[in-house]
Amino acid sequence: MFAIYKKELRSYFINPVGYVYVGVFLALAALLCCLSTLVAGTYDTTAYFLYMMIALIILIPILTMRLFAEERKLRTEQLLLTAPVTLTGMVLGKFFAALTLYASTLLLSCLNFIPLYVIADAERGSQEYVVKHIGPVTSELIGCLIATLLIGAAFIAIGTFISALTENQLAAAIITIAVIGTMVGIGFLTSFINVVWIRTALSWISVYSRFGNFQNGLFDFAAILYYVSLAFVFLFLTIRVYEKRRWG
């Protein structure tokens, strides 16, 4: 598994995909952070994380579209299937390579919050009496970052599964965008549905509805379990696809 992990992680920077992803991610994160906090004149970062979750609909498929689709297109899939590694190790190696790049870029984007703390310190120093909290809420930031990391992991697992179904990278990206967009969009539709049981069912499967607890400063263990389970299910399905392909 580790050999596939290293090969896959290195391949992101052999071709432009990795550089494009990192550049677009960091530029978009900086722009969204600026617009949702500095320009808006607030320390509240909930809007920023909401916009970033929506941005993942486009960013994650850039990472996952080539994971298995490229192997099939280049006819190197059989080398993977006959390599001295389990199918689970093969799938997890590719998954963790994409997750490593995503997590590293997400952590690097945290530099965007430094100006908020600098401005907050300057504002506190200019006031003789502080009557309210000034600056971003650190615990809320950490909670939202953990949730964003887990949501990204679930989305990467979905993209990995879809990439295993086709040899066309563009098709894999478009289908992944559609699936992830639907999962995120469901959360926004619930407010327009008056039927209680339908709204409850949609909220239960919605990625956004569970993310809302972290935006409110609540560390939701049920939501964490949901995101981890979602990633597990799609990785399991990917393994099953290759089990069928190996013995089919």
Side-chain angles (χ1 to χ4, degrees):
M1 184 186 87
F2 190 61
I4 291 179
Y5 168 81
K6 290 194 298 182
K7 168 185 170 295
E8 200 63 38
L9 192 59
R10 186 169 57 250
S11 69
Y12 277 115
F13 298 100
I14 292 177
N15 56 62
V17 173
Y19 298 101
V20 170
Y21 167 79
V22 172
V24 171
F25 189 108
L26 294 179
L28 188 59
L31 177 62
L32 292 177
C33 186
C34 181
L35 293 177
S36 62
T37 56
L38 298 178
V39 174
T42 179
Y43 293 109
D44 187 4
T45 57
T46 55
Y48 165 75
F49 284 105
L50 173 60
Y51 296 147
M52 280 305 300
M53 184 178 64
I54 295 174
L56 292 182
I57 298 173
I58 303 297
L59 291 172
I60 294 299
I62 297 176
L63 275 182
T64 61
M65 64 181 183
R66 54 172 296 279
L67 287 178
F68 286 105
E70 186 178 50
E71 301 284 358
R72 297 187 68 184
K73 182 179 179 180
L74 298 177
R75 301 294 185 266
T76 56
E77 186 180 59
Q78 289 302 317
L79 295 177
L80 280 178
L81 294 177
T82 56
V85 62
T86 63
L87 293 178
T88 301
M90 177 186 73
V91 172
L92 290 181
K94 286 179 171 288
F95 168 76
F96 281 120
L99 181 60
T100 298
L101 183 56
Y102 167 72
S104 301
T105 313
L106 179 64
L107 291 176
L108 191 58
S109 70
C110 291
L111 295 175
N112 295 327
F113 302 127
I114 293 178
L116 297 181
Y117 284 96
V118 173
I119 294 173
D121 285 338
E123 188 174 346
R124 282 194 294 266
S126 65
Q127 295 185 16
E128 185 176 354
Y129 299 102
V130 178
V131 296
K132 64 177 182 177
H133 175 81
I134 297 177
V137 181
T138 303
S139 59
E140 184 180 286
L141 279 176
I142 294 174
C144 286
L145 281 170
I146 293 174
T148 305
L149 177 62
L150 292 173
I151 290 173
F155 288 171
I156 289 171
I158 293 172
T160 301
F161 170 68
I162 294 173
S163 180
L165 299 177
T166 177
E167 66 177 32
N168 190 312
Q169 295 185 42
L170 181 58
I174 293 174
I175 296 172
T176 304
I177 290 172
V179 172
I180 295 176
T182 300
M183 296 183 69
V184 173
I186 285 174
F188 296 98
L189 294 176
T190 54
S191 59
F192 300 100
I193 298 175
N194 297 322
V195 183
V196 176
W197 70 269
I198 295 179
R199 186 169 63 245
T200 302
L202 292 178
S203 295
W204 189 84
I205 64 174
S206 169
V207 173
Y208 169 68
S209 297
R210 296 174 184 274
F211 184 67
N213 289 330
F214 291 95
Q215 288 182 305
N216 295 325
L218 302 175
F219 202 76
D220 191 342
F221 288 99
I224 292 175
L225 180 61
Y226 169 76
Y227 296 138
V228 172
S229 299
L230 192 63
F232 173 81
V233 167
F234 279 95
L235 289 175
F236 174 77
L237 291 175
T238 306
I239 295 170
R240 293 294 297 169
V241 166
Y242 273 92
E243 282 181 350
K244 184 177 180 181
R245 200 167 287 167
R246 171 180 278 182
W247 304 112

